[in-house]
Amino acid sequence: MRELKNRVYNYSEMEQMVREATCNNDRDPQTELMREIAKGTFTVDFSAIMTIIWKRMKDRSSEHHARKCIILLEFLQREGNVEMVRTARQPALRLA
């Protein structure tokens, strides 16, 4: 199903990685996948990564999306672009 949505919505490779890391299963995101996403925060993919993360954070239909987004954001703040800290603070206020 995810592969079909990826094709229909024409998600980039990086967006697909974020969707995989925050998918609707009970396992934590894979560290290697999060490392690849962290590398993407230093490129033009930064805004696409954040867009998918915030979209998933707002998704109330899955408890796993928000939990995995928090795990991914924590990892990205340690391993990714320092701009992550500033960007992560802004929308968090609107989620409540």
Side-chain angles (χ1 to χ4, degrees):
M1 180 66 143
R2 190 175 314 118
E3 291 81 20
L4 178 62
K5 282 186 179 180
N6 287 340
R7 280 196 292 266
V8 168
Y9 290 106
N10 198 28
Y11 288 124
S12 70
E13 184 178 346
M14 189 58 64
E15 289 170 318
Q16 290 179 39
M17 283 190 239
V18 175
R19 285 173 47 80
E20 176 68 27
T22 60
C23 68
N24 190 20
N25 65 33
D26 59 352
R27 288 174 276 148
D28 286 347
Q30 297 175 1
T31 303
E32 275 306 309
L33 183 58
M34 291 193 295
R35 277 197 187 105
E36 287 302 311
I37 295 168
K39 289 178 190 175
T41 64
F42 293 98
T43 69
V44 295
D45 292 321
F46 180 81
S47 65
I49 291 168
M50 294 309 297
T51 298
I52 297 290
I53 288 173
W54 295 129
K55 181 180 176 184
R56 294 283 188 144
M57 285 286 285
K58 293 177 189 176
D59 183 4
R60 303 281 189 221
S61 66
S62 169
E63 63 190 58
H64 300 297
H65 287 183
R67 182 180 66 80
K68 287 183 168 189
C69 284
I70 292 168
I71 292 169
L72 178 58
L73 279 171
E74 180 183 21
F75 185 89
L76 294 178
Q77 288 181 340
R78 282 192 323 265
E79 304 285 331
N81 190 335
V82 294
E83 192 67 24
M84 292 294 304
V85 175
R86 188 172 337 161
T87 304
R89 286 183 184 154
Q90 294 170 356
L93 299 174
R94 290 179 272 179
L95 287 174

